[in-house]
Amino acid sequence: MNKIKVVAFDADDTLWVNEPFFNEAEKQFCILLEDYLTHQSISQTLFKTQIDNLPLYGYGIKGFTLSMIEAAQKISRGTVNNRVMDQIINIGKDLLTKPVDLLDDVEDVLKELQAKYKLVVATKGDLKDQHRKLHKSGLGAYFHHIEVMTDKEVIDYEKLLKRLDVKAEEFIMIGNSLRSDVLPVLELGGHAVHIPFHTTWLHEHIDHEIVHDNFTTLKKLSEVKNLLL
C-alpha cells in the first residue's frame, strides 16, 4: 500500500445511488407488460436483451431504454401499442433526471484522501449522464481525472493507467462490482477494494471467491481511510 499514488473510485453505487433507480424502472416495465408474461419472465427477457445489446449500445440508461423497447416487442410479439411504447420511453427519460444521492461519508473520505493521493473517477456508462451526475454531486473538485469507460476490461484499465502515467502497483480501484472494479485491476497487478452495495445488477456478479494479496473487502467507504491513511 505504501506505493499507492492514485486512488480510483467507481461512481454508480460507490459514490452515489444508482441501481435502485434501475430496479424501480424494471418494475414499472414489468407492470406495463404483465398482460403478456409473468414479471419474472419479463425481467429475464429484458436482461437477455440487455446483455445481447451490450456490444452495440454499451452500458447506461440509453442502452437500457432501447433494450426495453426491443424486449417489449419480443414479449408482445409485435403487438404492443404506441401508448405503452410512450410509457417505456418516459421510464428511460425519468432515469436521466434522477437526483444524485451521495452515499454515506463520501465527501469526508475524498477530502481526507485528496491531501495524499491523486483521486480519479473510473466509471462506465453513458458519457453525458455520468458527467451530469458528477456535476450535480458537487464532487468534481476532488478529482484529478474523470474517465467514463465504454467497458471495464483489462485493456480499458491499461489505457487509463497509461493516461495517468502510473504503474499498476501504484494504482488502487475502489468499487462495488467484483467483475468490473476488482478482477481486471488485479489481473494487471494493481490493488482493488470491494465495497458491496445492497443491490447489484446481475451482470456484475461472479460465481467464485476472490483470494488475492492485493484485494480487500470493506463494509463501508469510511473504512478506506483506515486502509490508506
Side-chain angles (χ1 to χ4, degrees), residues 47-98:
F47 178 72
K48 184 180 185 307
T49 305
Q50 285 180 270
I51 298 305
D52 290 345
N53 284 334
L54 281 177
L56 291 173
Y57 303 148
Y59 297 86
I61 294 170
K62 293 171 187 175
F64 176 70
T65 304
L66 289 170
S67 291
M68 282 196 293
I69 292 170
E70 183 179 340
Q73 291 285 6
K74 291 177 182 176
I75 291 164
S76 70
R77 297 188 177 184
T79 63
V80 67
N81 61 47
N82 290 337
R83 180 186 61 81
V84 172
M85 281 300 185
D86 286 343
Q87 289 177 285
I88 291 171
I89 292 169
N90 285 335
I91 290 172
K93 286 183 175 180
D94 183 58
L95 281 173
L96 289 166
T97 61
K98 289 295 184 185

Side-chain angles (χ1 to χ4, degrees), residues 41-191:
S41 295
I42 294 168
S43 289
Q44 289 172 344
T45 301
L46 176 58
F47 178 72
K48 184 180 185 307
T49 305
Q50 285 180 270
I51 298 305
D52 290 345
N53 284 334
L54 281 177
L56 291 173
Y57 303 148
Y59 297 86
I61 294 170
K62 293 171 187 175
F64 176 70
T65 304
L66 289 170
S67 291
M68 282 196 293
I69 292 170
E70 183 179 340
Q73 291 285 6
K74 291 177 182 176
I75 291 164
S76 70
R77 297 188 177 184
T79 63
V80 67
N81 61 47
N82 290 337
R83 180 186 61 81
V84 172
M85 281 300 185
D86 286 343
Q87 289 177 285
I88 291 171
I89 292 169
N90 285 335
I91 290 172
K93 286 183 175 180
D94 183 58
L95 281 173
L96 289 166
T97 61
K98 289 295 184 185
V100 178
D101 296 330
L102 296 182
L103 295 175
D104 292 342
D105 304 314
V106 165
E107 191 156 13
D108 177 58
V109 170
L110 296 178
K111 190 177 296 183
E112 294 202 37
L113 292 182
Q114 187 187 39
K116 185 176 179 181
Y117 303 97
K118 284 184 178 179
L119 305 186
V120 169
V121 172
T123 189
K124 63 184 179 184
D126 180 78
L127 179 65
K128 187 174 180 64
D129 183 48
Q130 293 292 27
H131 278 283
R132 174 191 72 86
K133 288 188 281 191
L134 185 65
H135 174 72
K136 286 186 172 292
S137 74
L139 300 176
Y142 292 107
F143 295 106
H144 168 77
H145 179 78
I146 310 297
E147 187 88 1
V148 181
M149 307 153 89
T150 55
D151 207 341
K152 282 184 169 179
E153 303 289 345
V154 170
I155 189 171
D156 302 293
Y157 282 105
E158 285 178 335
K159 292 175 182 177
L160 174 60
L161 294 178
K162 187 174 182 180
R163 273 191 280 275
L164 294 170
D165 192 24
V166 64
K167 298 175 183 177
E169 59 267 29
E170 299 169 334
F171 178 86
I172 188 167
M173 180 71 198
I174 299 170
N176 69 296
S177 170
L178 292 169
R179 177 188 292 274
S180 295
D181 301 319
V182 173
L183 290 178
V185 176
L186 294 180
E187 187 173 337
L188 276 174
H191 298 260

